[in-house]
Amino acid sequence: MILPIYLYGQQVLRKEAEEVPKDYPQLKELVANMFETMYHADGVGLAAPQVGLSLRLFVVDGNVMADDFPECKGFKRAMINPSIIKCSEDEILLEEGCLSLPGIHEKVSRPAKIRIKYMDENLVEHEEDIEGFSARIVQHEYEHLEGHIFIDNISAIRKQLNKGKLNNIIKGTTNCSYKTKAVGK
Ligand code: CO
C-alpha cells in the first residue's frame, strides 16, 4: 500500500523518533508499505517519520544508483532501531534531495564511512560497515529519526535562497508525482 509522504513543515519530521517495540504489530507489512511508497516516489531511502510515524525505522535501496556508485549495488535494507557507532573522519560533499522536500537539492558534507548496528525486518541483529553513497543514504535517513532534515546542514545563505521553495512546500503548492501530506493542505 502506498502511503502519503509527509512534507517539510510537518511536526512529525521534527520529533526524535521512538524505539520500535519488538512486538510492534504488522512490522513486516509496514516495512513492505514503506518500500512500495519509496519506489513509487523514485526514492532511495524513506524513514518512518516521513510517513507520519515517529518510529526508529527506515528503508533504503541504492540499486538505481549503482551505475554511478558501484557500492550501492545490492544495497537494500530495512533498519530498525539503528545506531551509528562509528563515523570516519574524512567527509565527502555531495548533492542530496529528500522526498519530504520536493524540488530541493543541496550539497551536504558527510562522513565517508560509518559502522551501524540495527535489526532487520525479522528482528535479526546486524552490525555493518558501510561506505560511499550507501553510507550517505543511511546517514540521511538516520537523521530523520533524530528529527533533523538534510537542509539543517546547509549554510544560512543557501537556506535563504531556498526560502520560496520551502514556503511552497509548507503551503502544499509544490508539484509532486507522489501522494503527499503538506501542512497547508
Ligand atoms: Co529525507
Side-chain angles (χ1 to χ4, degrees):
M1 188 173 73
I2 293 168
L3 308 166
I5 295 179
Y6 283 59
L7 297 186
Y8 176 78
Q10 292 279 14
Q11 275 311 308
V12 67
L13 296 174
R14 289 307 191 181
K15 275 202 252 174
E16 198 183 324
E18 307 269 339
E19 294 266 310
V20 180
K22 290 211 170 166
D23 58 352
Y24 189 82
Q26 279 140 8
L27 181 62
K28 280 192 183 172
E29 199 182 327
L30 173 60
V31 168
N33 288 342
M34 284 177 63
F35 272 118
E36 193 183 351
T37 301
M38 179 184 83
Y39 293 135
H40 174 73
D42 291 326
V44 294
L46 184 71
Q50 294 182 277
V51 293
L53 297 169
S54 194
L55 289 170
R56 301 188 72 82
L57 149 68
F58 58 78
V59 297
V60 294
D61 188 342
N63 274 296
V64 293
M65 312 286 295
D67 281 349
D68 292 326
F69 302 98
E71 68 275 18
C72 287
K73 193 165 168 41
F75 188 68
K76 178 184 175 183
R77 307 276 190 276
M79 296 194 177
I80 294 156
N81 297 339
S83 76
I84 293 180
I85 50 180
K86 229 194 229 173
C87 285
S88 65
E89 272 179 32
D90 51 318
E91 297 208 347
I92 300 174
L93 185 72
L94 272 177
E95 195 172 87
E96 285 182 24
C98 178
L99 295 176
S100 294
L101 291 143
I104 295 186
H105 299 274
E106 288 289 335
K107 282 187 175 167
V108 180
S109 182
R110 296 195 188 273
K113 284 184 197 170
I114 58 164
R115 177 173 290 170
I116 191 164
K117 252 168 77 169
Y118 63 94
M119 283 186 297
D120 63 25
E121 63 272 44
N122 300 310
L123 301 180
V124 175
E125 285 187 35
H126 299 265
E127 190 171 317
E128 196 176 353
D129 290 308
I130 305 172
E131 59 185 329
F133 209 85
S134 303
R136 173 166 298 267
I137 301 170
V138 166
Q139 289 175 83
H140 175 117
E141 298 314 323
Y142 189 85
E143 216 169 57
H144 278 298
L145 309 184
E146 304 292 314
H148 298 148
I149 304 176
F150 84 104
I151 52 153
D152 297 344
N153 306 317
I154 67 173
S155 69
I157 292 173
R158 294 300 314 165
K159 220 175 271 176
Q160 187 61 33
L161 288 168
N162 280 300
K163 196 114 210 199
K165 282 186 189 171
L166 291 171
N167 284 337
N168 287 337
I169 293 171
I170 293 170
K171 278 190 272 176
T173 56
T174 308
N175 260 337
C176 232
S177 62
Y178 45 91
K179 233 194 326 180
T180 59
K181 258 200 168 137
V183 176
K185 259 191 182 168

